[in-house]
Amino acid sequence: MKVGIGYDDQKNAISLGRKVAENAVKNGNIERPALVMAFCSGQVDHEEFFKGLQIVVGNQVPIIGGSAIGIITNESLSYEGYPAGAAIIEAKTLKHREAAASDLDKNEKHAGNKLAKKLSHEQEDKLLIIFYDSVKTPAKDKSPPVLNASPPLIEGIEQALQSNVPIVGAGLVGDYELGPTKQFCGSYVDSQSVVGVMLTGDFKPYFRIMHGCTPLSGLYHKITKMDKSIIYELDGKPIVEMIDELYGNKDWRHQRPVNLLTIGKNHGKRYERPIEENYVNRLITGCLPNGEGIGIFEPDFETGTEIQFMLRDTEKMIGSAKKNSTELMDQIKADGKKALFGFYIDCAGRTSGYSNTKTEEALEIQSVFNRHNLPLFGFYSGVEVAPLLQKSRGLDWTGVLVVLAGEKDNG
């Protein structure tokens, strides 16, 4: 397997796509591109960027990906300006099938079902990668956005596939205002879609999830009033007033998404020492303009769910990235495998610009990959999808590292 990584930052979209692809081909010594994963800032004209990529790789090579807040490679890390990047893969032993389904905003489960039926299932399938539009309705009139939900999407995929193939991927966002996004669906550009690629071949996928949230206290609260992704009450009390008390003011009501505070569900034992791997956390997208409730990034909680208020712990976040990426490389080596390519899906809330950290968390991933002389490609997302607690699910404020590894004598 050969993988070439390309990056560039310029306003002219078609020139940007062309340069990104040319850099990837050059860096990976790619002769016959087989598959392209590409992402660009929401400020970039996606159709023109896509054309620029096709000028280099041709119209027959599938391109999957879409909008991203920023790009991560071995040398680059940017979420300002017009960052764009691509990973171009050439491999005789890697087989792939691509498909896309539209109308995600009408019915996530149905879209997932359509996607999976187009992909079908083969016994040798190893990994399904999906990208979808996170934003159903952009924020407007001081109201938080309405988001497409990953749980019914994943449920629809799994029902049709009827297999244990792990699912990884992301809900795409193009800017911090959570405006409209685009998806690269193989041979065309679309919106309100989900695109997937099923990988089969002589490789083994490895995963690690980077966490970084800590319970604010040991207190659990029960959701007593909720509608889709809007939470109105906890323990019979207005949730907005409870958060006012936590902050000691109402300034947080103007933040979208809300800084520092998240909502978490503990999938472990109720009062044991908190284990970050047992938590599924949800970002708060904002406060309703009338102060009646808050929006969360995924509508997968329901009335009766027990939650905790969580603090985003930046030190733990950076430590988790270093620890998990290092341990993953050690695990691959211990298994007698050779790491070939790493793909990092990083929540946009984990950037230093958003989290107010002195260093970038993704630099820890860069450092590990550069130490092992391995190609790395990543981007900043809205939702991260990965296997957690025996099930593929949508996550928030995590980093998902995927490494494809092969036999050592395969090169």
Side-chain angles (χ1 to χ4, degrees):
M1 179 188 292
K2 292 197 295 185
V3 181
I5 310 298
Y7 170 84
D8 199 37
D9 181 347
Q10 56 176 290
K11 189 173 183 179
N12 185 301
I14 196 164
S15 177
L16 177 62
R18 187 170 184 166
K19 189 64 176 178
V20 163
E22 288 174 347
N23 288 341
V25 168
K26 179 180 178 181
N27 292 336
N29 192 27
I30 303 297
E31 298 174 1
R32 294 185 177 181
L35 177 66
V36 179
M37 286 195 290
F39 299 88
C40 64
S41 163
Q43 299 184 74
V44 173
D45 184 318
H46 288 57
E47 285 80 5
E48 291 296 292
F49 175 72
F50 194 83
K51 289 177 184 177
L53 294 170
Q54 287 186 321
I55 289 172
V56 178
V57 302
N59 296 337
Q60 303 303 312
V61 178
I63 303 171
I64 65 168
S67 303
I69 281 182
I71 301 295
I72 302 163
T73 70
N74 294 82
E75 291 84 26
S76 303
L77 191 161
S78 177
Y79 41 90
E80 296 179 352
Y82 305 89
I88 300 181
I89 301 173
E90 175 183 346
K92 295 179 181 179
T93 59
L94 182 71
K95 298 178 182 179
H96 50 91
R97 308 190 303 279
E98 301 78 34
S102 58
D103 296 331
L104 179 69
D105 54 337
K106 295 179 181 178
N107 190 315
E108 296 98 331
K109 184 176 180 179
H110 185 55
N113 207 266
K114 283 196 300 181
L115 174 73
K117 286 179 178 178
K118 289 181 180 181
L119 288 169
S120 71
H121 171 58
E122 296 180 5
Q123 193 67 33
E124 299 80 14
D125 289 342
K126 298 281 185 70
L127 178 66
L128 174 59
I129 302 174
I130 64 169
F131 303 117
Y132 69 93
D133 195 328
S134 272
V135 182
K136 180 178 293 187
T137 305
K140 59 181 179 179
D141 299 328
K142 298 182 180 180
S143 296
V146 179
L147 304 173
N148 290 311
S150 67
L153 172 63
I154 294 170
E155 182 183 359
I157 293 171
E158 291 178 336
Q159 282 185 356
L161 281 183
Q162 295 183 341
S163 75
N164 293 321
V165 174
I167 302 172
V168 300
L172 305 183
V173 293
D175 55 62
Y176 281 109
E177 287 70 42
L178 302 180
T181 66
K182 299 277 189 178
Q183 297 79 52
F184 300 149
C185 299
S187 59
Y188 63 96
V189 182
D190 205 356
S191 59
Q192 296 303 330
S193 295
V194 54
V195 57
V197 57
M198 184 72 81
L199 298 181
T200 305
D202 189 15
F203 72 92
K204 179 179 179 180
Y206 287 80
F207 319 97
R208 277 296 173 103
I209 299 171
M210 322 299 168
H211 295 269
C213 287
T214 302
L216 180 63
S217 69
L219 293 177
Y220 285 80
H221 303 279
K222 183 177 289 187
I223 298 175
T224 49
K225 186 178 179 182
M226 183 174 187
D227 181 26
K228 297 179 180 178
S229 61
I230 304 296
I231 301 177
Y232 295 98
E233 293 181 358
L234 296 180
D235 306 328
K237 304 173 184 177
I239 188 171
V240 171
E241 293 180 10
M242 294 176 71
I243 298 177
D244 285 344
E245 293 179 6
L246 292 177
Y247 275 92
N249 57 59
K250 297 182 180 180
D251 294 347
W252 69 274
R253 296 190 184 193
H254 306 291
Q255 300 169 2
R256 291 188 177 85
V258 173
N259 298 332
L260 299 177
L261 198 69
T262 63
I263 303 291
K265 180 180 178 181
N266 184 8
H267 288 265
K269 293 182 179 179
R270 202 166 187 264
Y271 289 114
E272 69 178 358
R273 180 183 63 82
I275 300 174
E276 61 176 355
E277 289 82 1
N278 288 338
Y279 278 86
V280 173
N281 300 303
R282 293 287 168 248
L283 294 176
I284 301 172
T285 58
C287 178
L288 296 183
N290 56 14
E292 286 185 349
I294 63 166
I296 58 174
F297 222 105
E298 287 274 7
D300 56 341
F301 294 168
E302 57 189 23
T303 301
T305 299
E306 282 196 328
I307 60 93
Q308 290 174 275
F309 287 115
M310 309 288 289
L311 282 178
R312 302 208 285 273
D313 188 329
T314 55
E315 288 188 11
K316 180 174 286 188
M317 172 185 73
I318 293 172
S320 179
K322 181 177 182 179
K323 173 178 178 289
N324 280 290
S325 56
T326 300
E327 289 180 351
L328 182 57
M329 291 302 178
D330 291 342
Q331 179 187 349
I332 293 170
K333 183 178 180 180
D335 288 350
K337 304 287 185 180
K338 179 182 179 181
L340 304 172
F341 166 55
F343 184 50
Y344 193 43
I345 303 166
D346 203 8
C347 175
R350 294 164 68 91
T351 64
S352 68
Y354 190 84
S355 297
N356 296 315
T357 55
K358 293 181 179 179
T359 62
E360 294 286 356
E361 162 265 353
L363 289 177
E364 299 291 351
I365 310 296
Q366 274 188 341
S367 177
V368 169
F369 272 75
N370 289 338
R371 194 160 61 243
H372 287 82
N373 195 29
L374 289 172
L376 169 68
F377 180 57
F379 69 98
Y380 288 106
S381 62
V383 174
E384 307 76 58
V385 176
L388 176 68
L389 304 171
Q390 291 77 54
K391 175 179 171 54
S392 292
R393 63 182 82 219
L395 309 169
D396 283 345
W397 216 67
T398 60
V400 172
L401 179 60
V402 183
V403 177
L404 305 187
E407 301 298 331
K408 283 191 174 181
D409 57 359
N410 282 353

